[in-house]
Amino acid sequence: MSMSCLRYARISGFAMLTAMAGLSGCTVGPDYHGAPDVAHGAAQASAFVRAPAAGVTPGHAPSRWWESLNDPTLNALIDQALKDNPDLHAAQARLRQSRAQLQQQRAADMPKISTDAAVLRMREPDLSSLQSSQQSSSSAQSSGQNTSSSHGRGPLQFYTAGFDASWEIDLFGGTRRAIEAASAQAEAVDADLADTQVSLAAEVAQAYIDLRSQQQRLLLANQSAQLEQQTLDLIRQRRERGVVTDADVERQTTQVENTKATLIPLDEQITESLDQLAVLTGQAPGALDRELATPAALPDMPASVPVDDPAAVLKQRPDIRAAERRLAASNAQIGQHEADLFPKVSMMGFIGSNASDPGHLLHKSAFTWLGAPYLQWDVLDFGRTRSSIRQAEAGRDEAAARYTQTVLAALQDANNALSRYGHQRESVSRLQQVEASADRSAGLMRQRYAAGASSLIDLLDTQRVQFSAQQNLVLGNAELLKDFVSLQKSLGLGWVCAQ
């Protein structure tokens, strides 16, 4: 090759690489411009439409909302669940998988370089010696003599070592779109992990509230049963003196047995709550019995709850972030498939050394190299690529619909939680008044019955009302606390950033 031709080849190669570099900035497929605007009026309002008039204040609530309940045991249980819960471990594993897939996709855009080395050893047959041997054998057979000869050449050895490299030039951005999709998918799985944390914290809190409510109701039932047993003993004494009848004794006996009957299901519910909390914290059933079996009061209810505006709530809810990231991923996948419509160019090369002696491998004359561009283009694929594009577009539309549904469901969830919380506050206020009135009525009736001014039937009725009012108030307070927990969950609180 003449010097002018060699110079031209070098210039042409440089021009080709320059052109490829320029084309590599081209990225096919639709660019992502964000999620659709859903329920703009409701999302941009200054407050939720169902927010109660009392009990909530504008403001940003802390992520660790359970600490506002002032219960160290609850704090420890939630912290342990966020550390040891199996569902959370599974979500964390899925996040690691998605991040590894993203790293793998990024690596696909880089050159692939491998090295190899080999030693070949062979013995080449000596054809001239073989021919002479055959002639001698024929002569020996004709003369009846036995002759033998062996001639051979030593084995040959060949040494080779080198590097192979290949790189697919991302001319039309298919690999970049794949990286974009994998990155968005990893962020969606990250949001899934946060959503798991939100649900887990709420589930532990509600199970703990159930446990304390059941223990308080069991205490009340035991106290009521003791009082009623004392009353039964007094009535039996009065019957012996002829003051009351056998019917009065039977009525009180029925009341005592009915109250004792309520103890059995409450005790069963306590066992179930203990086991539920143990499993939620990653432990076997029964592991928390010693720690939590002693009855304790319900957590303290905050005087008011800070609630952000709807726009801020929608931004912090992990399920909405996950739906938006999956929409972005599905949008990038369209471009990933569109890139298959265009040719793919790869650069392949080899640099190595070959010699019959290992000491000669580093000699200049032993070096060899090869470089070549490789073009691949599915000119006729009978519509497979375009079908993949249409499938990706349909997936993008489905992801957009799911995002819209997620936002609407989040708005409904928050408004329903606020409404339940507000109404339950009013209900608890009424239950407190009922319980106070029942206590006063029961006290007065016991005095009247002791003085003989009222009947046993009247006393039993007031005791039943008092017991019912006390039980209802405990249940009401527990429901208010669980509504508070549901409200925090609907606001998307309770998650921490994944590492």
Side-chain angles (χ1 to χ4, degrees):
M1 180 182 290
S2 66
M3 292 300 294
S4 60
C5 291
L6 181 60
R7 188 180 303 110
Y8 176 77
R10 290 176 177 174
I11 293 175
S12 298
F14 177 76
M16 182 180 69
L17 291 176
T18 303
M20 288 180 178
L23 283 173
S24 64
C26 174
T27 304
V28 298
D31 292 329
Y32 183 65
H33 299 293
D37 192 6
V38 180
H40 180 77
Q44 299 301 320
S46 59
F48 287 94
V49 65
R50 302 301 182 193
V56 297
T57 56
H60 182 68
S63 178
R64 294 176 60 86
W65 50 264
W66 51 88
E67 293 179 349
S68 64
L69 298 177
N70 298 320
D71 193 314
T73 303
L74 174 60
N75 297 343
L77 288 171
I78 293 180
D79 287 342
Q80 186 172 358
L82 292 175
K83 177 184 176 184
D84 298 328
N85 180 264
D87 288 337
L88 197 59
H89 288 173
Q92 291 168 341
R94 287 192 293 270
L95 178 59
R96 292 195 301 271
Q97 288 176 342
S98 66
R99 287 178 174 175
Q101 290 169 356
L102 172 59
Q103 184 61 35
Q104 183 180 23
Q105 196 63 59
R106 286 173 174 165
D109 196 32
M110 305 300 292
K112 299 176 182 177
I113 302 175
S114 61
T115 182
D116 57 78
V119 177
L120 305 178
R121 183 181 177 90
M122 63 175 291
R123 184 182 183 279
E124 183 181 9
D126 189 344
L127 298 180
S128 60
S129 176
L130 179 61
Q131 185 177 8
S132 299
S133 176
Q134 290 174 347
Q135 291 174 354
S136 300
S137 176
S138 299
S139 299
Q141 289 176 0
S142 61
S143 61
Q145 296 179 352
N146 219 351
T147 63
S148 64
S149 65
S150 71
H151 302 280
R153 300 169 61 181
L156 300 177
Q157 293 193 144
F158 185 73
Y159 301 87
T160 179
F163 294 91
D164 295 301
S166 64
W167 179 33
E168 181 180 329
I169 301 174
D170 193 19
L171 292 178
F172 299 98
T175 303
R176 290 192 293 277
R177 289 300 192 192
I179 294 173
E180 180 184 343
S183 178
Q185 183 64 29
E187 292 170 346
V189 177
D190 190 359
D192 288 339
L193 172 59
D195 195 41
T196 303
Q197 292 173 332
V198 169
S199 298
L200 178 60
E203 192 172 359
V204 172
Q206 290 180 338
Y208 179 78
I209 292 167
D210 280 337
L211 172 65
R212 295 313 188 195
S213 170
Q214 293 151 5
Q215 289 175 335
Q216 288 298 311
R217 286 186 288 140
L218 183 60
L219 284 175
L220 288 173
N222 277 318
Q223 293 172 4
S224 179
Q226 291 174 2
L227 290 175
E228 290 171 358
Q229 183 63 49
Q230 292 174 3
T231 303
L232 176 59
D233 294 340
L234 292 174
I235 293 174
R236 285 172 175 167
Q237 293 175 6
R238 298 184 68 183
R239 183 190 59 180
E240 293 174 355
R241 296 195 299 267
V243 179
V244 297
T245 64
D246 289 342
D248 294 329
V249 174
E250 292 303 324
R251 289 192 191 97
Q252 183 63 20
T253 301
T254 301
Q255 179 69 18
V256 170
E257 294 303 322
N258 285 335
T259 302
K260 288 182 178 180
T262 63
L263 304 180
I264 299 174
L266 282 173
D267 193 58
E268 178 185 355
Q269 293 169 13
I270 289 173
T271 301
E272 292 176 355
S273 295
L274 287 169
D275 290 347
Q276 182 183 7
L277 285 169
V279 173
L280 287 173
T281 54
Q283 302 177 76
L288 296 175
D289 288 4
R290 180 177 298 180
E291 178 182 351
L292 300 178
T294 301
L298 287 166
D300 297 333
M301 183 66 211
S304 62
V305 181
V307 178
D308 261 327
D309 58 85
V313 170
L314 295 180
K315 287 181 181 178
Q316 70 189 9
R317 276 189 60 132
D319 56 338
I320 295 178
R321 295 203 319 276
E324 187 274 333
R325 288 290 80 200
R326 288 192 169 89
L327 173 59
S330 62
N331 187 80
Q333 288 168 358
I334 298 174
Q336 182 181 353
H337 290 290
E338 284 187 3
D340 293 335
L341 293 172
F342 302 94
K344 293 179 173 60
V345 176
S346 300
M347 298 297 295
M348 297 183 296
F350 169 80
I351 298 176
S353 179
N354 305 304
S356 58
D357 189 306
H360 296 163
L361 283 174
L362 298 180
H363 288 183
K364 181 178 180 181
S365 59
F367 277 96
T368 181
W369 63 270
L370 171 67
Y374 178 76
L375 176 66
Q376 182 183 9
W377 192 1
D378 293 333
V379 179
L380 185 63
D381 68 350
F382 302 98
R384 284 189 289 268
T385 299
R386 295 195 179 278
S387 296
S388 298
I389 294 172
R390 289 194 293 271
Q391 183 178 0
E393 290 173 342
R396 186 267 318 275
D397 295 340
E398 180 185 2
R402 290 188 181 278
Y403 171 81
T404 299
Q405 177 60 31
T406 302
V407 172
L408 293 176
L411 289 171
Q412 180 185 18
D413 187 21
N415 277 292
N416 287 346
L418 284 165
S419 177
R420 287 194 302 270
Y421 172 74
H423 285 97
Q424 188 61 26
R425 279 178 59 89
E426 296 178 4
S427 176
V428 167
S429 178
R430 298 292 178 86
L431 289 174
Q432 289 172 342
Q433 297 175 11
V434 170
E435 194 263 350
S437 176
D439 287 346
R440 292 193 297 268
S441 177
L444 292 173
M445 189 57 66
R446 280 191 292 271
Q447 294 176 5
R448 290 174 57 83
Y449 180 75
S454 63
S455 66
L456 177 61
I457 295 177
D458 294 334
L459 176 60
L460 294 178
D461 287 340
T462 56
Q463 287 179 338
R464 280 192 294 268
V465 171
Q466 182 188 28
F467 173 68
S468 177
Q470 292 171 342
Q471 293 273 14
N472 288 340
L473 181 58
V474 172
L475 282 171
N477 283 324
E479 285 300 317
L480 179 59
L481 282 166
K482 291 200 290 185
D483 287 340
F484 167 81
V485 172
S486 297
L487 176 57
Q488 305 309 305
K489 180 182 177 183
S490 72
L491 299 179
L493 300 171
W495 58 274
V496 294
C497 294
Q499 299 300 321

